Amino acid sequence: MSLAVIEPPYLPPTPAPSPPPAVAITPCDPWPRPYFLSDGLRRVAPYHYTYNTNCKQRWRGRGILEIFQDEFRDRPVEYYQEAIASGAIQLNGKPVPAPTTTVKNGDIISHTLHRHEPPVTGTPIGVVHEDNDMLVIDKPAGVPVHPAGRYNYNSVIEILRAERGHQWNPLPCNRLDRLTSGVMFIAKHRAAADELTKQIMGRTVRKEYIARVKGEFPEGDLVCEQPILQISPKLGLNRVRANGKEARTVFRRLAYFPSPMPDKEGYSIVRALPLTGRTHQIRVHLQFLGHPITNDPIYSNRSVFGSSLGRASATDSDDEDIITRLSRMGKDEVADAVAYHDEMVEDYNKKKAEKMTGEKCDICGTELYSDPGGHELGIYLHARRYACSEGKWGYETDMPPWAVGPKGEVVGIPPADDLVAKVEELKLGIEEGKAKEKVAPVP
């Protein structure tokens, strides 16, 4: 039996692989997180990151450059033009043909950049209660709950994940503004999150806040029932409007401290019990009443709202001017909030505020911000207590350190307190009124 020599088939040489794309198309996930502490602040070392965002309804049919210019204010339009041209911004994993390319439903926008997160307070997240289902924390002011905007790892859920392990999946159940401190519920599993969320949505959870406000707040119980409308999602601006969503807050003054200087106003410590849960509800209602939170960078900002600070304002006649002035805050100007006239805030804080320094990152050319001043890390609004209306559970924190008089006078909740009972009566009356409206005969 003879053997035949079989020549192997000719295979053309394999072409050299294409070079990798100039930008990453999947998010990186550094572990451990690049935190470090200095000057009392929690900082994050800059890192490369890719945002992958599904097309939002309000983006449909709009040009991609227009979307970035209108929705993301931390960088100038020239940056986004260059990012589109260089491929740092992609559409469905591919380079964008032109800045005017329209985005449609189902599209995914990717944006890879060298990320610079703002520092937040180095104050640890306090633990109020913990069991197998729920972690109740005392959130420090100035730390956002979820990654959003310029914040990613400097957020409550990412800080907790860094402390408890990469696989730990915190599930926040209630929402606090970034600048607000106080009681927050972090569920450890979905069933616990769903149960508490159901209670909050069903308005069977009593919420109590403490605020420090401008001027002499009226004595007695004050109920504000002004509806609230979102004016600018980009700037986080909300105002009282007749066509807004139903909103109701009950206020009671705890103390008033006049200013020792005749040309300056004093301040009040106030309890606030919101019966609804609109964004910035307490802050907007206090502004409308003429007693904004003293260091609120939005609603107590003279440079934005003028000397009246938006008191009793419920029309849209000045919305465009306010949006324009507010958009400049933190870029070219320092917010001229009423807080700078507060007796307990030192004068130098007005100059020591977060704004662009004029310097740029050596790697990406991003314009750099200075560190925030201590007065910018939070506002005088604290979620002191959350409790089940049926009395099954309740969690509270101590009074915040700023809820004191100019000489350290202690402010507390009176032992014989009837405010919660009055709020329950008010809620019952509202529910009965709505029930009667539903069954009222047609005239």
Side-chain angles (χ1 to χ4, degrees), residues 51-66:
Y51 294 90
N52 289 310
T53 309
N54 292 302
C55 174
K56 300 182 185 298
Q57 184 174 1
R58 64 178 181 270
W59 297 354
R60 297 175 188 174
R62 299 174 61 189
I64 192 166
L65 178 60
E66 177 190 352

Side-chain angles (χ1 to χ4, degrees), residues 1-2 38 57 81 89 114 123 145 149 168 177 230 243 252 278 331 350 356 399 411:
M1 180 177 179
S2 61
S38 69
Q57 184 174 1
Q81 290 173 330
I89 292 176
H114 192 231
T123 303
V145 177
W168 197 66
D177 295 339
Q230 186 179 62
N243 61 334
R252 176 180 287 183
R278 307 304 174 204
K331 289 191 173 183
K350 184 173 181 180
M356 289 184 175
M399 291 287 282
V411 178

Side-chain angles (χ1 to χ4, degrees), residues 27-218:
C28 64
D29 189 25
W31 189 266
R33 300 299 190 223
Y35 295 122
F36 64 100
L37 297 173
S38 69
D39 300 325
L41 299 174
R42 178 188 293 269
R43 304 176 187 273
V44 178
Y47 57 96
H48 286 92
Y49 187 84
T50 299
Y51 294 90
N52 289 310
T53 309
N54 292 302
C55 174
K56 300 182 185 298
Q57 184 174 1
R58 64 178 181 270
W59 297 354
R60 297 175 188 174
R62 299 174 61 189
I64 192 166
L65 178 60
E66 177 190 352
I67 293 171
F68 275 93
Q69 182 178 3
D70 290 349
E71 298 278 341
F72 306 101
R73 63 187 289 257
D74 60 328
R75 295 173 187 246
V77 64
E78 292 79 13
Y79 167 84
Y80 295 118
Q81 290 173 330
E82 174 60 27
I84 291 172
S86 67
I89 292 176
Q90 299 189 359
L91 191 62
N92 301 319
K94 298 179 180 179
V96 181
T100 55
T101 299
T102 57
V103 177
K104 59 183 183 299
N105 187 29
D107 284 346
I108 296 178
I109 300 174
S110 300
H111 180 203
T112 299
L113 75 165
H114 192 231
R115 189 163 186 169
H116 296 254
E117 291 195 38
V120 298
T121 177
T123 303
I125 296 174
V127 176
V128 177
H129 169 82
E130 183 170 8
D131 55 34
N132 292 332
D133 302 316
M134 192 72 63
L135 173 65
V136 185
I137 66 169
D138 185 357
K139 183 185 94 66
V143 184
V145 177
H146 299 90
R150 295 165 62 202
Y151 300 86
N152 182 28
Y153 297 134
N154 262 347
S155 60
V156 168
I157 65 171
E158 289 298 339
I159 293 171
L160 288 174
R161 181 176 286 123
E163 293 175 350
R164 293 173 175 248
H166 192 276
Q167 299 305 315
W168 197 66
N169 185 32
L171 302 171
C173 301
N174 64 316
R175 180 181 61 195
L176 292 182
D177 295 339
R178 176 177 67 85
L179 296 174
T180 305
S181 59
V183 174
M184 270 205 67
F185 294 86
I186 310 293
K188 294 184 175 181
H189 54 81
R190 177 52 59 187
D194 291 344
E195 174 60 27
L196 184 56
T197 301
K198 180 180 178 181
Q199 293 181 54
I200 294 174
M201 297 300 292
R203 299 184 183 178
T204 62
V205 176
R206 296 171 181 160
K207 297 175 283 186
E208 178 183 324
Y209 290 71
I210 302 295
R212 180 164 146 174
V213 305
K214 169 185 177 289
E216 185 174 2
F217 198 85

Side-chain angles (χ1 to χ4, degrees), residues 214 239 265 287 290 292 296-311 313 318 321-323 325-326 328-329 336-338 341:
K214 169 185 177 289
R239 303 191 73 187
E265 285 189 296
Q287 182 196 43
D296 193 320
I298 296 178
Y299 303 107
S300 192
N301 192 324
R302 292 184 185 275
S303 295
V304 173
F305 289 97
S307 59
S308 70
L309 291 173
R311 179 172 187 164
S313 175
D318 58 352
D321 288 341
I322 287 173
I323 289 172
R325 291 194 290 269
L326 186 59
R328 292 199 298 263
M329 295 299 107
D336 185 19
V338 174
H341 305 289

